[in-house]
Each structure stands twice: as structure tokens, then as C-alpha cells.
Amino acid sequence: CICFGDRANSIMDDVTTENPELMISSITLPHLSGTARGAIVKRYPLLLERKATTTNIAEQYANEIIGCLTTNS
């Protein structure tokens, strides 16, 4: 499960705690809202050089998601 933001992560934590038999794996990424731009750049410092455009952010998110999928499979 991919959680965008702390609120989604909190909900997923509750679901996982209440249903440990589901063995849910999740990754939390900064929310995609404009107000979270600072958190996004902090997580992906490369975006300081490349600029935090929608395309560059999506590429960083995709790389992290793919990395998690290949690590956990």
C-alpha cells in the first residue's frame, strides 16, 4: 500500500495493528499537495538541482516505489 502523507500513514498503521493477519506492507511518501513541496525536496535532495517539477517528483516517487517492490518481492 502506498500512503501519501502522514494522515494516510496513520490510518494504515491502525488497519495493520487491528488486522495483523493481513500482513500489509506499506510505504509512506510525502503528500503531493503544493504545501508539502518542502517535505518532498527534503526527502529527495536531487530535486534541488533538477527543480521540483511535477514530472521530476513523479519520477522520484516511481523510483522509490519500484525499489520497494523489487526489495520486498
Side-chain angles (χ1 to χ4, degrees):
C1 180
I2 301 168
C3 301
F4 292 101
D6 292 333
R7 178 74 177 123
N9 182 53
S10 176
I11 292 168
M12 184 52 61
D13 285 345
D14 291 345
V15 169
T16 303
T17 300
E18 293 172 12
N19 303 284
E21 72 281 1
L22 296 178
M23 300 187 334
I24 299 170
S25 177
S26 66
I27 178 175
T28 303
L29 299 172
H31 196 277
L32 293 167
S33 70
T35 57
R37 233 11 103 109
I40 294 169
V41 172
K42 183 176 179 182
R43 184 162 182 153
Y44 306 106
L46 178 68
L47 293 174
L48 288 172
E49 300 167 20
R50 290 188 175 175
K51 304 218 187 258
T53 64
T54 304
T55 301
N56 290 340
I57 292 169
E59 182 180 338
Q60 295 304 305
Y61 278 36
N63 289 340
E64 187 164 348
I65 293 165
I66 290 166
C68 286
L69 290 173
T70 56
T71 301
N72 293 326
S73 57

